[in-house]
Amino acid sequence: ISENGYSDKIKVINKKSTELVVGKDLPVKADIVISEILSAEFVGEGVLPTMLDANKRLLVKNGKMLPESGDIRIALLGDNKEIRENIFVDKIDGFDLSKFNTISTNKFTLKLKNKPKLLSETMVAFKFDLYSSQRITKKEIILSMTAQENGVCYGVIQWVGIKIYKEVEYENKPGELDSHWPTPIYRFDKPINVVKGQKLKVKATLFNDSVWFRYQK
């Protein structure tokens, strides 16, 4: 900031926003709150409680939040070599190691090199209004997702949609945009062979600062 001649215009306060005190650290409440603390899952990194606190304590009435809102988007994940090799183990050099799938994690965060195969249309699992004053503790829903073609379904793939301001929006749909965020994948316990039109139930759970998806029999 000083090297570029902005010391008289920009002041850095070396604190978390939740520790700022209006009248001490800030002379008055802010007209605009700009942030980029979103994660690959949208939530995480204290996103929701931090934004709630900023909206309540640091922003003037009718002030602006950037981004304004967003959502968590998902689709059923199909088969390709990259996905298969990264989230499941089967037979290697003649040894059946498939039992390890039952004790490994069911969530993988991958930096995909290839476009994944999506077996369903995009579904919005959860929406977030960053102007909201409502604190989220836990929200759970059952989503019915329809296979658009025959194939092997490995689980759910997830990305984010963000409304920054008015018509300015962002979406990092896997395979369509090179994003610095990795791609979260929530693997089913076992691959499921699906046919076009078949519906799969997925339990989506939103916590205060995390999200989870799993197959619901």
Side-chain angles (χ1 to χ4, degrees):
I1 291 169
S2 60
E3 289 292 327
N4 288 279
Y6 284 93
S7 295
D8 62 334
K9 299 181 184 300
I10 299 174
K11 179 183 179 182
V12 176
I13 303 170
N14 189 21
K15 284 186 176 183
K16 293 182 179 180
S17 66
T18 51
E19 298 172 352
L20 293 176
V21 178
V22 176
K24 179 180 178 183
D25 301 305
L26 301 175
V28 294
K29 290 186 177 183
D31 298 308
I32 305 174
V33 171
I34 303 173
S35 66
E36 197 294 280
I37 54 172
L38 306 179
S39 71
E41 296 88 359
F42 194 103
V43 292
E45 303 180 20
V47 173
L48 296 182
T50 299
M51 298 307 291
L52 178 66
D53 176 75
N55 189 17
K56 281 186 170 183
R57 295 194 312 109
L58 306 179
L59 186 66
V60 298
K61 185 177 181 180
N62 299 320
K64 299 297 182 185
M65 300 277 284
L66 277 68
E68 297 180 327
S69 60
D71 53 58
I72 294 174
R73 304 178 184 190
I74 62 171
L76 296 177
L77 178 63
D79 179 34
N80 69 22
K81 186 173 183 290
E82 181 181 21
I83 296 295
R84 189 166 58 249
E85 290 183 349
N86 276 284
I87 69 172
F88 272 104
V89 62
D90 193 9
K91 292 183 179 180
I92 300 177
D93 295 331
F95 295 95
D96 184 355
L97 304 180
S98 60
K99 289 292 185 182
F100 281 105
N101 294 316
T102 64
I103 59 172
S104 74
T105 179
N106 277 46
K107 179 184 177 183
F108 297 81
T109 307
L110 305 179
K111 199 69 176 169
L112 297 176
K113 296 179 180 179
N114 303 304
K115 185 175 182 177
K117 183 176 183 180
L118 306 186
L119 291 177
S120 71
E121 293 183 348
T122 301
M123 177 172 284
V124 173
F126 297 106
K127 295 182 179 181
F128 306 96
D129 177 5
L130 297 182
Y131 286 105
S132 173
S133 59
Q134 182 180 1
R135 181 177 297 276
I136 295 174
T137 52
K138 183 178 179 181
K139 186 184 294 184
E140 197 167 74
I141 57 174
I142 303 296
L143 304 171
S144 180
M145 307 186 70
T146 304
Q148 299 295 303
E149 57 181 282
N150 300 345
V152 179
C153 181
Y154 283 109
V156 168
I157 189 168
Q158 185 248 307
W159 63 98
V160 298
I162 303 167
K163 182 178 179 182
I164 300 172
Y165 181 67
K166 292 185 176 180
E167 290 79 30
V168 181
E169 298 183 356
Y170 171 87
E171 178 184 17
N172 65 329
K173 190 172 184 178
E176 295 188 8
L177 182 68
D178 185 20
S179 169
H180 77 283
W181 282 313
T183 300
I185 292 171
Y186 298 82
R187 189 194 69 182
F188 296 158
D189 291 334
K190 294 180 180 179
I192 299 174
N193 291 306
V194 297
V195 296
K196 183 177 180 179
Q198 181 177 347
K199 295 184 183 298
L200 296 184
K201 290 183 179 180
V202 173
K203 178 182 280 188
T205 307
L206 175 66
F207 301 96
N208 180 49
D209 200 36
S210 63
V211 67
W212 195 263
F213 300 93
R214 69 181 181 88
Y215 174 62
Q216 182 79 10
K217 295 182 179 180

